């Protein structure tokens, strides 16, 4: 293999530690002939791949490449794989695949030409991955990875090991943080900057703004063939959502404020959702996950909410954002007709320590999710407990 590629891989591996694994590490089908790992920018996909290589390279001959490496300005991916296989290569990982032109066609060619080769690829531009995945959908499973849960944050930042709790465990008051006398200070820190693995960097806020700008100004406009002016309107739309409590989309008035066609707005919302900038809470009218009417729009996670909302970040919005963000990973969360959220017939009302039970009085099975409390009782559950499900 070209020495530049090998040296690049070795540098990346030296910078990678294996003391902490994200939740997706144990869920990926590493031995599949081909698989994809996608998710928003900055959630740790590259690190996950490098950890696996570091821990298994003695069993298989592996290669890690970045699709935007200068090497690929004069070489094709197919040529590189062919050389790797002829030298005895068994497992190749391609990072940021969406940055390679016509990537899906070449991956299909590689899959069909080298049946003994295992291929893994990652993509931060989720939109481009979805767009190019049609030819690969029957060949490769694609795993969607989200940011840190509160449970993962506790382990990564404070070395506090906590098991995964199911929703049933949490509702039965079984979720506990062993050795933690007061969870609320840790929870407050998580809400502000705990969702992204790079949150301990001194320049965290700057890096997160770069993630937002890259997603809104490059990823989405390139995918949707938008003009620069339309891309700026998209950022304006994100700013409107950031200041809402939460945002309930009224398309006619919103199209006037943003200056875009009313008919284009649903597509813009979908692009932003798939790119990891917002979450859309839908009702159950569609009968199938993801196609119901949008009732509320949240920023994707609380770190984004604090960054974009600045000092005006509304605590009620933060609480609902956290609940929706964490629970959607393992549950189908829809809007409730009588309260905030519904999961599998169970109703959830989210609020502060004085939140009452009035909104769930007519629910067949209702729960009050309270912030600012350390422990719960009966059908009153502490908000932080819902961050322990993955």
């Amino acid at each position: 293999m070209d020495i530049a590629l090998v040296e690049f891989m070795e540098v990346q591996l030296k910078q990678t530690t294996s003391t902490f694994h994200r939740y997706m590490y144990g869920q990926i089908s590493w031995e599949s002939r081909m698989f994809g790992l996608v998710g928003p920018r900055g959630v740790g996909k590259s690190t996950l791949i490098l950890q696996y290589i570091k821990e298994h390279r003695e069993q298989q001959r592996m290669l890690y490449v970045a699709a935007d490496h200068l090497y690929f300005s004069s070489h094709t991916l197919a040529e590189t794989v062919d050389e790797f296989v002829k030298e005895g290569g068994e497992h190749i990982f391609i990072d940021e695949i969406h940055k390679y032109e016509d990537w899906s066609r070449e991956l299909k060619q590689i899959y069909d030409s080298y049946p003994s080769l295992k291929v893994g690829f990652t993509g931060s531009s989720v939109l481009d991955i979805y767009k190019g995945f049609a030819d690969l959908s029957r060949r490769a499973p694609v795993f969607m990875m989200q940011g840190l849960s509160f449970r993962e944050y506790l382990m990564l930042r404070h070395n506090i090991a906590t098991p995964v709790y199911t929703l049933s465990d949490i509702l039965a008051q079984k979720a506990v943080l062993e050795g933690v006398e007061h969870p609320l200070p840790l929870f407050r820190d998580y809400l502000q900057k705990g969702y992204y693995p790079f949150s301990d960097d001194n320049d965290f806020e700057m890096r997160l703004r770069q993630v937002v700008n890259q997603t809104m100004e490059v990823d989405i406009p390139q995918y949707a063939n938008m003009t620069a002016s339309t891309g700026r309107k998209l950022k304006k739309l994100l700013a409107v959502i950031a200041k809402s409590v939460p945002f309930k989309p009224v398309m006619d008035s919103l199209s006037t404020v943003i200056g875009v066609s009313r008919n284009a707005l649903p597509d813009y919302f979908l692009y932003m959702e798939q790119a990891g900038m917002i979450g859309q809470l839908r009702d159950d009218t569609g009968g199938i996950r993801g196609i119901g009417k949008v009732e509320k729009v949240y920023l994707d996670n609380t770190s984004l909410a604090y960054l974009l909302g600045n000092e005006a970040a509304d605590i009620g919005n933060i609480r609902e954002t956290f609940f929706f963000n964490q629970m959607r990973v393992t549950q189908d969360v829809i809007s409730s007709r009588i309260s905030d959220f519904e999961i599998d017939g169970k109703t959830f009302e989210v609020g502060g320590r004085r939140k009452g039970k009035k909104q769930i009085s007519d629910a067949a099975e209702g729960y009050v999710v309270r912030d600012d409390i350390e422990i719960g009782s009966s059908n009153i559950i502490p908000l932080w407990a819902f961050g322990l499900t993955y």
Side-chain angles (χ1 to χ4, degrees):
M1 291 306 303
D2 187 278
I3 188 64
L5 289 181
V6 176
E7 288 180 346
F8 173 77
M9 179 179 70
E10 294 301 332
V11 169
Q12 302 305 309
L13 289 173
K14 286 181 180 178
Q15 297 174 349
T16 302
T17 61
S18 295
T19 55
F20 169 78
H21 288 153
R22 291 295 319 280
Y23 76 101
M24 189 56 71
Y25 190 91
Q27 298 181 20
I28 293 175
S29 301
W30 295 101
E31 293 302 310
S32 296
R33 280 191 58 195
M34 181 176 288
F35 74 87
L37 176 62
V38 302
R41 292 181 176 276
V43 297
K45 301 180 299 298
S46 301
T47 298
L48 196 74
I49 294 294
L50 289 164
Q51 285 177 332
Y52 182 82
I53 296 173
K54 197 167 187 175
E55 295 166 15
H56 294 84
R57 63 189 305 196
E58 292 184 3
Q59 289 81 40
Q60 295 185 54
R61 186 164 185 208
M62 299 179 176
L63 178 66
Y64 169 89
V65 299
D68 59 348
H69 194 284
L70 184 62
Y71 175 84
F72 292 108
S73 63
S74 56
H75 300 79
T76 68
L77 190 56
E79 292 170 349
T80 305
V81 168
D82 183 70
E83 182 180 354
F84 178 58
V85 171
K86 287 178 178 177
E87 293 182 4
E90 300 171 280
H91 208 155
I92 187 169
F93 296 90
I94 308 158
D95 205 7
E96 298 289 82
I97 189 69
H98 61 279
K99 294 181 180 179
Y100 183 90
E101 187 176 357
D102 208 14
W103 61 267
S104 61
R105 182 184 63 82
E106 287 206 32
L107 279 188
K108 179 179 180 295
Q109 177 185 334
I110 291 168
Y111 183 94
D112 294 339
S113 301
Y114 307 98
S116 62
L117 179 69
K118 299 182 180 68
V119 181
F121 62 91
T122 76
S124 291
S125 180
V126 180
L127 295 160
D128 282 343
I129 296 296
Y130 288 153
K131 184 177 181 179
F133 192 61
D135 288 341
L136 296 168
S137 58
R138 289 176 294 180
R139 294 173 171 81
V142 171
F143 301 89
M144 180 70 184
M145 182 166 153
Q146 302 292 349
L148 294 172
S149 67
F150 180 46
R151 186 192 72 86
E152 290 182 303
Y153 155 85
L154 290 172
M155 184 62 195
L156 179 61
R157 295 285 171 260
H158 301 282
N159 200 31
I160 298 172
T162 303
V164 171
Y165 290 99
T166 65
L167 178 58
S168 296
D169 291 335
I170 293 169
L171 300 184
Q173 305 288 354
K174 295 180 180 179
V176 295
L177 297 179
E178 296 290 346
V180 178
E181 186 174 358
H182 301 294
L184 293 179
L186 296 169
F187 185 53
R188 295 282 170 266
D189 185 65
Y190 169 82
L191 291 177
Q192 293 199 30
K193 59 180 184 178
Y195 188 70
Y196 294 93
F198 58 87
S199 61
D200 63 336
D201 290 1
N202 292 330
D203 58 351
F204 166 70
E205 185 171 316
M206 182 180 71
R207 284 192 62 185
L208 185 52
R209 288 192 184 278
Q210 290 174 345
V211 167
V212 173
N213 291 336
Q214 183 74 13
T215 302
M216 302 299 292
E217 296 176 1
V218 179
D219 292 346
I220 296 177
Q222 282 185 354
Y223 167 78
N225 296 317
M226 294 177 176
T227 63
S229 62
T230 305
R232 288 192 291 271
K233 291 176 181 178
L234 209 61
K235 286 194 71 176
K236 188 176 180 181
L237 177 58
L238 186 67
V240 170
I241 295 171
K243 295 176 181 178
S244 302
V245 197
F247 180 71
K248 297 184 179 181
V250 180
M251 297 304 183
D252 288 331
S253 60
L254 187 59
S255 65
T256 301
V257 172
I258 304 300
V260 298
S261 165
R262 181 193 187 283
N263 294 332
L265 283 173
D267 285 341
Y268 290 175
F269 278 113
L270 184 60
Y271 298 156
M272 293 163 68
E273 181 179 40
Q274 291 181 332
M277 289 291 102
I278 65 171
Q280 299 190 89
L281 180 66
R282 298 170 172 85
D283 65 16
D284 62 351
T285 56
I288 301 175
R289 182 182 186 183
I291 66 172
K293 176 186 175 184
V294 175
E295 292 292 337
K296 296 179 183 178
V297 180
Y298 298 90
L299 289 175
D300 181 78
N301 59 78
T302 59
S303 294
L304 277 180
Y306 274 109
L307 177 79
L308 300 177
N310 298 316
E311 298 300 324
D314 179 84
I315 188 58
N317 190 24
I318 293 292
R319 291 163 178 157
E320 291 186 32
T321 298
F322 170 79
F323 183 91
F324 184 34
N325 167 270
Q326 298 284 282
M327 295 311 297
R328 69 182 182 185
V329 176
T330 59
Q331 307 290 328
D332 291 337
V333 186
I334 60 175
S335 63
S336 168
R337 291 184 174 89
I338 61 176
S339 187
D340 292 324
F341 303 99
E342 182 179 319
I343 300 175
D344 194 24
K346 302 173 180 66
T347 301
F348 297 87
E349 176 71 15
V350 180
R353 66 181 305 143
R354 291 185 175 86
K355 171 62 68 175
K357 300 183 179 182
K358 181 178 179 180
Q359 286 90 341
I360 63 169
S361 59
D362 294 330
E365 185 177 351
Y367 297 88
V368 175
V369 181
R370 288 183 182 171
D371 193 9
D372 303 320
I373 64 172
E374 294 183 340
I375 58 174
S377 63
S378 184
N379 66 337
I380 299 175
I381 317 292
L383 178 61
W384 58 261
F386 292 89
L388 307 179
T389 59
Y390 72 92

